[in-house]
Amino acid sequence: MPRLTETDGLTEVQRDILGAVREFVEAEIIPVASELDHSDTYPDQIVAGLRQLGVFGLTIDEQYGGLGEPLLTYALVAEEIARGWMSISGIINTHFIVAYLISKHGTEEQKASFLPRMATGEVRAAFSMSEPGLGSDVAAIRTAARPDGDDYLISGQKMWLTNGASSNLVALLARTPQGAAKPHHNLTTFLIEKDSGFGETRPGLTIPGKIHKMGYKGVDTTELVLDECRVPADRVLGQQPGRGFYQMMDGVEVGRVNVAARACGVGERAFELAISYAQQRQTFGKPIAQHQAIEFKLAEMGTKVVAAHQMMVLAARRKDSGQQSDLEAGMAKYLAGEYSKEVVEDALRIHGGYGYSQEYEIERLYRDAPMLLIGEGTAEIQKMIIGRRLLDRFKTTAG
């Protein structure tokens, strides 16, 4: 089937990478995605294949063993992978965010210690800000880290860690006694190494178990409990206590481009399934695609898929250029998430009763799509960010 969305201006290397990922998705992900989703099984074989493709090191600098590709390449790869199964793109997203944080904000020692092993997938990372009851109110974080000699002792509870069990490195935001007047100036990012698996994976650090979800299956989503977990002071990201809020928000910005890319992939797949089914299913003596009601739905769906893709590409390119891109990243995440949900729902409607059956792929997409409205900040948070940035940009003087 031809692709609805293509991206202009790519290098030959980018096209080769995307071609290899597309082949992998068609051969290794789509045929097994529904089975693994329904059994909620971690996709070890798929992850091993992605390691061989070099996806875990896609954006890591070549001097550390990565491919040194820009955010745009990564976003397009995430879109392709999410088209096959959104959960897989989640596995690589948190790893990518942490690699970005270390590359952008880490010390030379931290880069040399982690990035080469992250590039090969030997070290896989998780990203931890959320806590029970806090949601998007990052400045209200209660997990606390107090100095103890050359170390910190960290205690608290974290929620919604993608890769919480499978990872062996966590970038974690905690409150430190900086004494700043503003709460977000007292937050610090820690790089915490641990064993993979459940239970106590490091003295004072426990992964209790997997959180069971409506969709987004296969990937492990967990809590994290810290009880006087001792972390060396040299594992403060960039050796900059009190800078954690700014560092993590920088990471979330690229994460939002990734969520937008995932939404684009899910929407693309839903459109493909719908337009194929609509030409096969017949009612009243002709394919339902020839009924104007369905034809109009397909027109709306295709337009939304293309619009979301273009917004995502714009946001990625702006971030790659080094410009402030929180407005564009918020727009891309908001638009792509909303459009993906709408396209998936219309695809289910076109499938009729079969769309509600687990035998058809659209049922899985229907359960996955809501996560795109929540992950890396809810749609409402995106609208707050967008509104504030627009008011900043178009500020007028009363007179």
Side-chain angles (χ1 to χ4, degrees):
M1 178 178 291
R3 301 304 298 272
L4 182 59
T5 57
E6 294 290 348
T7 308
D8 295 330
L10 298 182
T11 66
E12 186 175 347
V13 170
Q14 287 174 317
R15 290 195 295 269
D16 288 345
I17 289 171
L18 287 176
V21 171
R22 284 178 182 179
E23 289 179 7
F24 182 83
V25 168
E26 291 288 345
E28 305 294 336
I29 296 182
I30 289 176
V32 300
S34 291
E35 179 184 350
L36 293 174
D37 170 89
H38 292 151
S39 62
D40 201 6
T41 301
Y42 191 82
D44 288 302
Q45 188 171 341
I46 293 173
V47 170
L50 293 175
R51 288 183 63 179
Q52 291 180 350
L53 281 176
V55 169
F56 285 97
L58 192 62
T59 60
I60 293 174
D61 196 274
E62 291 177 302
Q63 74 179 94
Y64 299 110
L67 297 178
E69 284 294 309
L71 173 60
L72 176 62
T73 309
Y74 175 77
L76 295 174
V77 165
E79 180 183 36
E80 293 292 341
I81 292 173
R83 176 181 162 271
W85 186 17
M86 192 184 76
S87 293
I88 305 297
S89 58
I91 290 172
I92 61 173
N93 181 42
T94 53
H95 177 90
F96 160 72
I97 293 176
V98 177
Y100 172 83
L101 287 175
I102 295 172
S103 298
K104 179 81 175 289
H105 302 286
T107 64
E108 288 305 318
E109 185 276 330
Q110 289 167 354
K111 294 176 186 178
S113 175
F114 292 115
L115 293 180
R117 294 181 292 152
M118 294 181 78
T120 64
E122 175 190 349
V123 168
R124 303 224 310 274
F127 178 79
S128 179
M129 289 197 305
S130 295
E131 296 184 3
L134 292 186
S136 298
D137 189 4
V138 177
I141 276 174
R142 291 191 290 265
T143 295
R146 61 180 175 85
D148 185 66
D150 293 331
D151 303 327
Y152 283 85
L153 294 176
I154 308 178
S155 296
Q157 183 181 4
K158 293 292 187 177
M159 284 290 290
W160 309 117
L161 274 79
T162 300
N163 295 332
S166 55
S167 64
N168 39 23
L169 173 66
V170 180
L172 180 141
L173 192 62
R175 185 166 301 283
T176 47
Q178 301 306 118
K182 295 183 178 180
H184 63 281
H185 290 167
N186 296 305
L187 298 175
T188 298
T189 304
F190 292 88
L191 302 173
I192 305 177
E193 297 176 83
K194 69 177 188 66
D195 294 333
S196 59
F198 294 99
E200 189 172 47
T201 59
R202 174 192 177 109
L205 189 155
T206 300
I207 304 293
K210 185 158 63 172
I211 298 171
H212 297 285
K213 311 178 296 294
M214 174 178 71
Y216 199 33
K217 302 282 190 176
V219 60
D220 53 90
T221 305
T222 74
E223 297 177 62
L224 184 153
V225 179
L226 303 121
D227 183 13
E228 299 281 272
C229 179
R230 184 174 293 277
V231 179
D234 65 7
R235 286 298 174 254
V236 169
L237 180 61
Q239 293 284 274
Q240 290 184 303
R243 292 291 298 173
F245 180 83
Y246 300 100
Q247 294 165 343
M248 289 297 223
M249 289 302 101
D250 189 22
V252 166
E253 197 171 290
V254 296
R256 284 175 179 153
V257 175
N258 170 276
V259 174
R262 282 193 259 178
C264 290
V266 171
E268 173 91 25
R269 184 61 177 167
F271 170 80
E272 290 173 355
L273 294 170
I275 200 165
S276 176
Y277 183 82
Q279 294 174 81
Q280 298 169 24
R281 176 79 165 97
Q282 294 205 359
T283 61
F284 305 104
K286 60 182 179 181
I288 62 172
Q290 294 180 18
H291 295 291
Q292 193 175 65
I294 301 301
E295 190 176 35
F296 280 8
K297 275 192 185 300
L298 293 171
E300 292 168 1
M301 292 163 71
T303 302
K304 289 174 181 178
V305 168
V306 173
H309 175 84
Q310 295 298 333
M311 186 73 236
M312 178 270 292
V313 169
L314 183 151
R317 283 183 162 146
R318 186 170 178 88
K319 184 70 174 178
D320 281 331
S321 72
Q323 301 177 75
Q324 183 176 355
S325 57
D326 52 349
L327 172 62
E328 290 77 11
M331 284 180 167
K333 195 272 180 187
Y334 170 63
L335 184 78
E338 295 294 330
Y339 276 180
S340 176
K341 174 187 68 72
E342 294 169 9
V343 169
V344 168
E345 182 173 326
D346 280 342
L348 184 142
R349 290 170 182 264
I350 287 171
H351 279 76
Y354 290 110
Y356 203 62
S357 166
Q358 288 190 345
E359 294 181 18
Y360 280 70
E361 193 176 336
I362 193 64
E363 177 266 348
R364 168 169 55 82
L365 302 182
Y366 192 75
R367 287 185 288 104
D368 282 345
M371 200 287 292
L372 299 164
L373 307 176
I374 300 167
E376 309 295 1
T378 63
E380 289 70 29
I381 289 293
Q382 305 314 309
K383 287 190 277 188
M384 285 174 55
I385 293 169
I386 294 165
R388 288 171 182 172
R389 293 299 173 265
L390 289 174
L391 289 170
D392 287 343
R393 187 173 294 184
F394 295 95
K395 189 172 184 178
T396 60
T397 303

